[in-house]
Every structure is written in C-alpha cells, then in structure tokens.
Amino acid sequence: MIRLADAAASEALGARLAAVARPGDVIALSGQLGAGKTSIARGLLAALGLEEEAPSPSFAIVQPYGPPETRFPVLHVDLYRIESPHEVDELGLDDARYDSLLVVEWPERLPASAWHDALWLGLTIEPDGARGLTAQVPAAWKDRWPLT
C-alpha cells in the first residue's frame, strides 16, 4: 500500500499519471465516497493543461475534455449513479477508447471484464485521514507505472 498524506498528494499522483498516460488508456479509480478519486483526476487533468478546477462528473456522468483545453482527449467518467451495466452502452465509452484517455470513478459498477486492461487504483481512508492506495498494474502499464 502507498500512503497519500492529503489531497495535494493525491493530486500530485494524478500529475505523475498524466506524464505517462495516453489516449486508449483506462485509469479506474475505486474507493468509497470521499476517498480521493476526484482529487487524482483533478491532478491528472491539471497536468494535461486544464486551467480551471475539474468538476466532479457525478451528475453529468461523463465530462469530456479535449484540445486545446487538455493535451489530448480525456473523458472523466463517474459511474456512481449507474444502476445497470446496460446504461453504460449509451455513453459510447468503447468507441471513445480509441482516441481518448478514460478516467473512470466507480468502475466496479460494471463487470471486471469491462476494465481488463485498466490501471486499477483502489483508495481507502485511513484512520489518520490519509489515503491508502493500492494498484493493479496491467501489462500495458508495467513500464509506465510511475510508483515503482
């Protein structure tokens, strides 16, 4: 487990991911409410050039970003309000994977097979308020994972 002391550490992790992420990648962010998923996404988006603070896509479900706002297309996805995997079909995420980075909060709302090649980051809230981070690093990320 990797310790993230505060929101700034979570955002810094997002910035490190931005340095190695590319279109076609999926970063799955899993953890309870308030665990820091959006902080990681905000750090990543800021490092990709987004000047304003990224809103949580909880109500929009998908928040798209693209040049010139960000270096390349990114879809920030929040599946918290998804009740059925069939609802996701309408979002067009499979097609978006060809040219966009997908940053997906609440990925467990879909079967694990939907994210077979995702960098899966799990976050927990520790007793002292820090965040604990675990990572499932797929083959496509082995040479790029910035925390080895």
Side-chain angles (χ1 to χ4, degrees):
M1 181 183 76
I2 298 164
R3 181 179 163 80
L4 301 171
D6 52 26
S10 296
E11 289 180 13
L13 170 62
R16 291 176 73 181
L17 291 172
V20 296
R22 55 188 177 221
D25 285 338
V26 176
I27 300 173
L29 302 171
S30 181
Q32 69 193 73
L33 285 170
K37 299 178 295 293
T38 301
S39 292
I40 291 173
R42 284 180 175 145
L44 182 145
L45 288 161
L48 289 176
L50 187 66
E51 292 182 7
E52 69 271 1
E53 183 175 273
S56 173
S58 294
F59 293 102
I61 300 177
V62 177
Q63 182 67 46
Y65 300 94
E69 198 173 34
T70 54
R71 210 167 53 233
F72 53 77
V74 179
L75 294 181
H76 185 189
V77 182
D78 187 327
L79 299 178
Y80 182 73
R81 296 184 322 128
I82 296 295
E83 295 180 14
S84 164
H86 300 294
E87 292 177 57
V88 176
D89 293 341
E90 297 173 22
L91 301 177
L93 298 181
D94 287 336
D95 291 336
R97 290 183 71 173
Y98 290 107
D99 65 357
S100 300
L101 166 65
L102 299 184
V103 179
V104 182
E105 298 187 35
W106 299 96
E108 59 276 359
R109 299 284 185 174
L110 292 181
S113 61
W115 316 115
H116 67 279
D117 59 345
L119 173 63
W120 191 288
L121 304 179
L123 293 156
T124 57
I125 301 173
E126 299 302 307
D128 65 355
R131 302 307 190 250
L133 174 77
T134 57
Q136 295 175 19
V137 183
W141 278 86
K142 290 287 184 197
D143 294 336
R144 296 185 285 148
W145 174 235
L147 299 181
T148 53

